[in-house]
Amino acid sequence: MTQTDRARKVELAITDLGSEGQGIGRAGDLVVFVPGALPGDRVEALVPGGAGPGRRFLEAELVRVVEPSPSRVDPACLAAPDCGGCQLLALSYPAQLEWKTKVVREALRRVGRLDSVEVPPCLGAPLPLGYRNKAQFPIVAVRQAKKGGGPVSLRSGLYRRGTHEVIPVEGCLLQHPTNNAVLAAAVRIASELGVTAYDEDTGVGLLRHVLARVSQDGRQAMAVFVTSQVAFPMGRRLAAALQQAVPEVRTVVQNINPRRTNVVLGPRDVVLSGPGHITDTLGGLRFRVSPSSFFQVNPSQTEVLYEVVARMASGAQRVADIYCGVGTITLFLAARLKGLEEIVGVELSLAAVRDAAANAKANGIRNAGFICGDAAAVLADMAGAGIPVDTVVLDPPRKGCEPAVLAAVLRLACRRVVYVSCNPATLARDLGILSAGGYLVREVQPVDMFPQTAHVECVARLDRRESGEGAG
Ligand code: SAH
């Protein structure tokens, strides 16, 4: 391919997937990323101009699939071409799992130089669709008749790939069916009651988003109406009608978000009916979930993930669970680990720490405590004070651990580290640092928490190297 300034169509064989789930093909020396293309496809793609010499990567637009990959399946979702939320929906589920395993192996090799680490196949989810317990949809007004006039009705929508434009959809394949039912009923009833939709551009109108959350057993659901102002005169009628339409709805909350912002939830909740929260279970433990609580979105697969954490932490007596959120891993380990004396959860968010302490109490767990603070500072204090910790669990956000956190872990020099990660690249980087600092990476287990998307979750087990053991 000659590199000119004009956009042009090329035919490409797609051989791999990028970290965002885009297909990758090669045109001469150029690596071309094609969103929507899959490994095994032959595609026609529109390559943009301006690929001057020295340019090695480009993103091209998929024009058509010339010859489909044998792993292609019919996506069964009408919104798929516009939404872009499920990057892998058109890839068969076994092929998705294979790709996720490969991503982890390659990240370890490339970023962490950890070629010899064992990476068993990614653990697949029993529910590759319908698994999400939390739905969050913007609301738009749609005029029924195309040419002006006609009544306006509300629709739930989702954002067009990479934009803030809302396209109307009825629900989502990834959602628990009850969430889709709550959304559909909430939007229909709000429309009938004459509720107006908030317009992002003008700041006019009332209803911004509808949220639905559902417990793992599907028996308890919550609906949240996010409004632009406090006055919501039809709120209680709406709540009553929604509970009648979908009996699983235990509580309905109004959340007030007056700000001109992309952030969905505002600072204030008004309970319209029920207790204002639902109760969910993970591994037999009960957790309170409020409109803004952080809670893993794929509960059955979260149990699979936490079982892996428990297996890798087995034998631990004194554990520090760093980045503990509302204490789900902390309490899961407290309930599962035989011989555990004490576990301490560390978390920056005060609201999450309060929820964690309440969750410990509600489950009658006495050997778990929580510290609100920055991971690096708390770990450094523990190391400085010589607190006897034999196992550290790390579950950082996507950017991975700060260097100061890893330095403090190395100073603490505990027997084992169990690292839970949602980003193979930062995991590999951090494992490389821990490996150079005296730990042996024994195993990295990928777990599919988000089927149909390019996200990959992992749990790694590291042991402190005995003198004489080789680097790994
Ligand atoms: N382990 C939990 C939550 C993991 S999400 C679970 O499995 O559900 C990561 C958490 O790290 C968030 O709750 C976030 O508030 C917290 N966090 C982010 N930066 C932090 C820091 N510097 N110190 C402590 N906690 C932090």
Side-chain angles (χ1 to χ4, degrees), residues 294 296 306 321 323-326 328-329 346-349 352 373-376 395-397 399:
F294 175 84
Q296 297 278 355
Y306 289 1
D321 175 23
Y323 308 98
C324 72
V326 295
T328 41
I329 292 181
V346 177
E347 163 63 46
L348 198 55
S349 151
D374 173 59
D395 183 10
K399 66 181 192 311

Side-chain angles (χ1 to χ4, degrees), residues 182-394:
V182 169
L183 274 173
V187 169
R188 175 180 54 76
I189 298 165
S191 232
E192 286 165 7
L193 291 176
V195 176
T196 55
Y198 175 78
D199 182 325
E200 252 187 21
D201 296 328
T202 61
V204 175
L206 185 59
L207 189 56
R208 300 174 66 126
H209 278 81
V210 174
L211 269 63
R213 301 188 84 156
V214 63
S215 60
Q216 188 175 177
D217 63 10
R219 293 215 191 127
Q220 296 186 36
M222 173 196 323
V224 183
F225 291 92
V226 184
T227 60
S228 59
Q229 55 195 36
V230 180
F232 190 24
M234 58 298 273
R236 284 178 202 277
R237 267 177 71 198
L238 180 50
L242 179 58
Q243 285 187 289
Q244 206 153 43
V246 187
E248 291 88 348
V249 175
R250 295 293 170 89
T251 187
V252 181
V253 178
Q254 174 193 4
N255 173 273
I256 302 149
N257 187 359
R259 289 176 291 207
R260 300 285 287 265
T261 160
N262 291 345
V263 179
V264 174
L265 287 176
R268 207 175 132 202
D269 286 337
V270 175
V271 177
L272 298 174
S273 95
H277 63 263
I278 55 173
T279 303
D280 207 351
T281 56
L282 274 180
L285 298 163
R286 293 155 55 84
F287 294 92
R288 173 186 284 214
V289 180
S290 304
S292 57
S293 298
F294 175 84
F295 200 67
Q296 297 278 355
V297 296
N298 183 348
S300 58
Q301 204 58 357
T302 297
E303 290 179 341
V304 171
L305 179 79
Y306 289 1
E307 290 293 356
V308 174
V309 176
R311 171 174 66 74
M312 292 192 184
S314 66
Q317 293 179 319
R318 307 187 72 86
V319 180
D321 175 23
I322 313 297
Y323 308 98
C324 72
V326 295
T328 41
I329 292 181
T330 327
L331 299 180
F332 193 91
L333 292 182
R336 276 291 188 292
L337 292 184
K338 295 193 180 69
L340 180 80
E341 285 168 23
E342 195 187 7
I343 182 163
V344 180
V346 177
E347 163 63 46
L348 198 55
S349 151
L350 180 61
V353 169
R354 288 201 174 122
D355 283 347
N359 287 331
K361 200 164 168 212
N363 288 290
I365 290 178
R366 299 223 168 81
N367 57 349
F370 297 92
I371 298 174
C372 182
D374 173 59
V378 176
L379 276 167
D381 283 351
M382 286 179 173
I387 305 249
V389 170
D390 58 60
T391 302
V392 167
V393 177
L394 300 165

Side-chain angles (χ1 to χ4, degrees), residues 14 38-42 65 67-74 90-92 95:
I14 303 297
L38 298 175
D41 282 344
R42 262 202 94 71
V65 177
E67 208 176 296
S69 157
S71 302
R72 235 181 213 281
V73 292
D74 186 359
L91 190 62
S92 74

